[in-house]
Amino acid sequence: MQFFAPTHVYLENDCVRSHKEELLSFGGRAFIVTGKHSSRSNGSLADVLAVLEEDGVPYLIYDEIEENPSVETVAAATEKGREFQADFVIGIGGGSPLDAAKAIALLLANPQEDASCLYEPKKLSALPVVAVPTTCGTGSEVTPNAVLTRHAFKTKKSISYNIYPKLALVDGKYLASASGRLLIHTAVDALAHCVESRLHVKANVYNHMFSEYGLALWHKIIPALTRIADHPETAPKELLTDADYETLMLASTVAGMAIAQTTTSLPHALSYEITYNHGIPHGKACGIFLAAYMDEYAKNQPEDVDRVLSLLGFRSTEEFGAFLRHLLGTVAVPAADIALYADNIMANASKLATYPFPIDRDAIAGILAQSLETE
Ligand code: NAP
Ligand code: FE
């Protein structure tokens, strides 16, 4: 049994400003990696820039990270970071910029390498990464993973290196600009992290501390998420309190700490297919598979599934599945895709190995068929 969680995390209001000295301790030339718009409108970029500018720290902003960032984008950003001679990387945004920041930090630390090394089994380390999350789902600020889109393989995959941010500055106020859909989707990603980590081949007592506590926290945010789903025309900030935003961020980091010990499992593997092929946002793509996945798992070890359900406050996987459909809606794919995706998952030996029991193609196809509508 082992436990490793090297990221220094602060979760508090105005933590970028309050922990300025630590933020500036990682280098003298900052490469800021962010998305196209949101970090400008939610105040996170301004907070970081204020701290850098006060101390005259040179920085360069790369703000072209797309959702589900690609290897090609990481390579393009790396070129800019190399020209600038960055010595640390600040990722600001949702999981997409944070994951991209990790991969870019790896390439910047290894000028002899190009992006082809990202999926090779080399021993490489990265420049220091500081993470400022602005969504409440991926937990990337505390995980070693960086999931990139690989167009050459028509899917997404985590790179081969473990890159934990050195510092995570987590401030719930950045969520105030998020839409209801974004809050729901990313909160469901955090839920999927807790469920998949709890029902994982590597689950153990240490990791239960995070997955189970995360599930109990998630239970507390169900009323807030239900309010958002029931009032789609109302801005979420009219429906949520500052304390709700902070709890959403806390659930996300705790869920990240859970998967940092185990990785994710089959719902995430399935999600990559429907995100890549049908553009379904990451959290929704994971959440849509959770109830059917738990039904399959319960055939082997029902007491684990009962534990997950009881921490979340549901009596059955049917009730849980109906709740998730209320939050997320449904996903429809052409009927022929089910067989294709089942084949792809059966070829993904590393993800299959995260499931604690033998599982065959029929069972995977059954999870897909139970979770997806067909067109
Ligand atoms: P995201 O792809 O980072 O962002 C989704 C959208 O939300 C973007 O349009 C972004 O706008 C916007 N946005 C971000 N913060 C906002 C805010 N506070 N207010 C309003 N809009 C905001 O979403 P995500 O779900 O956080 O990340 C998904 C990615 O993380 C996927 O690639 C997934 O595979 C990965 N992931 C990683 C891990 C891990 O352990 N590393 C775990 C799970 C998932 P801009 O583009 O303008 O910024
Ligand atoms: Fe995820």
Side-chain angles (χ1 to χ4, degrees):
M1 194 152 83
Q2 58 168 309
F3 181 79
F4 184 60
T7 304
H8 198 173
V9 187
Y10 295 95
L11 186 149
E12 57 199 39
N13 199 29
D14 294 332
C15 53
V16 169
R17 164 146 301 282
S18 321
H19 301 289
K20 167 186 163 166
E21 274 167 26
E22 200 167 332
L23 196 168
L24 297 179
S25 71
F26 294 106
R29 296 180 70 78
F31 191 46
I32 298 176
V33 174
T34 188
K36 292 194 172 74
H37 307 291
S38 66
S39 63
R40 290 196 167 78
S41 48
N42 63 35
S44 52
L45 182 61
D47 284 354
V48 169
L49 295 188
V51 160
L52 296 172
E53 285 170 7
E54 267 167 27
D55 275 41
V57 175
Y59 62 81
L60 182 71
I61 302 173
Y62 187 88
D63 61 2
E64 290 180 44
I65 304 297
E66 75 276 37
E67 292 183 38
N68 307 297
S70 65
V71 169
E72 290 77 9
T73 300
V74 163
T78 300
E79 255 179 61
K80 302 284 181 203
R82 282 181 178 156
E83 281 165 21
F84 175 68
Q85 301 186 326
D87 56 11
F88 74 118
V89 179
I90 306 176
I92 309 176
S96 296
L98 301 193
D99 284 7
K102 295 176 189 175
I104 293 162
L106 181 93
L107 293 176
L108 289 178
N110 297 281
Q112 75 287 1
E113 300 287 350
D114 63 28
S116 62
C117 79
L118 292 171
Y119 291 94
E120 285 173 359
K122 295 189 172 176
K123 284 198 171 13
L124 301 174
S125 50
L127 292 186
V129 175
V130 175
V132 182
T134 66
T135 63
C136 50
T138 71
S140 179
E141 65 277 8
V142 294
T143 76
N145 309 319
V147 183
L148 301 181
T149 295
R150 301 176 87 189
H151 290 299
F153 296 87
K154 293 193 176 345
T155 191
K156 297 167 57 180
K157 192 169 190 218
S158 195
I159 64 170
S160 307
Y161 306 88
N162 283 340
I163 302 168
Y164 286 92
K166 297 277 183 220
L167 176 66
L169 297 168
V170 188
D171 190 336
K173 77 175 179 219
Y174 301 139
L175 292 177
S177 62
S179 68
R181 286 286 108 210
L182 184 65
L183 291 170
I184 287 176
H185 292 160
T186 57
V188 169
D189 186 22
L191 169 69
H193 295 164
C194 292
V195 172
E196 292 174 48
S197 181
R198 180 62 182 78
L199 305 181
H200 195 285
V201 73
K202 288 193 193 158
N204 63 39
V205 173
Y206 288 147
N207 137 270
H208 287 178
M209 292 191 304
F210 293 95
S211 56
E212 294 204 352
Y213 186 71
L215 289 165
L217 260 181
W218 217 87
H219 173 66
K220 287 196 198 164
I221 57 178
I222 286 176
L225 295 173
T226 305
R227 276 201 300 285
I228 297 173
D230 290 345
H231 299 90
E233 307 302 328
T234 310
K237 62 175 182 240
E238 310 292 324
L239 301 167
L240 304 185
T241 63
D242 290 352
D244 289 327
Y245 284 124
E246 187 160 315
T247 308
L248 283 163
M249 276 302 199
L250 180 61
S252 175
T253 56
V254 169
M257 289 166 186
I259 52 165
Q261 306 306 314
T262 56
T263 75
T264 55
S265 190
L266 299 182
H268 266 66
L270 293 163
S271 82
Y272 299 152
E273 301 290 334
I274 60 168
T275 293
Y276 192 87
N277 293 298
H278 305 283
I280 306 298
H282 175 68
K284 175 171 179 172
C286 297
I288 213 79
F289 293 112
L290 287 179
Y293 169 70
M294 286 162 64
D295 280 340
E296 180 59 36
Y297 187 105
K299 292 179 189 162
N300 294 284
Q301 212 148 286
E303 57 277 19
D304 284 348
V305 171
D306 289 345
R307 177 80 180 141
V308 168
L309 289 170
S310 78
L311 287 163
L312 288 169
F314 293 100
R315 282 164 298 192
S316 65
T317 50
E318 290 72 35
E319 192 185 30
F320 179 52
F323 165 75
L324 286 176
R325 279 192 299 282
H326 178 58
L327 286 190
L328 300 171
T330 54
V331 175
V333 301
D337 285 13
I338 301 237
L340 178 68
Y341 301 156
D343 288 342
N344 290 349
I345 300 301
M346 291 315 287
N348 188 342
S350 60
K351 269 296 184 212
L352 286 175
T354 64
Y355 189 68
F357 315 105
I359 187 160
D360 60 19
R361 188 185 174 287
D362 284 351
I364 299 284
I367 294 173
L368 283 156
Q370 189 181 322
S371 307
L372 301 172
E373 318 257 298
T374 46
E375 304 168 329

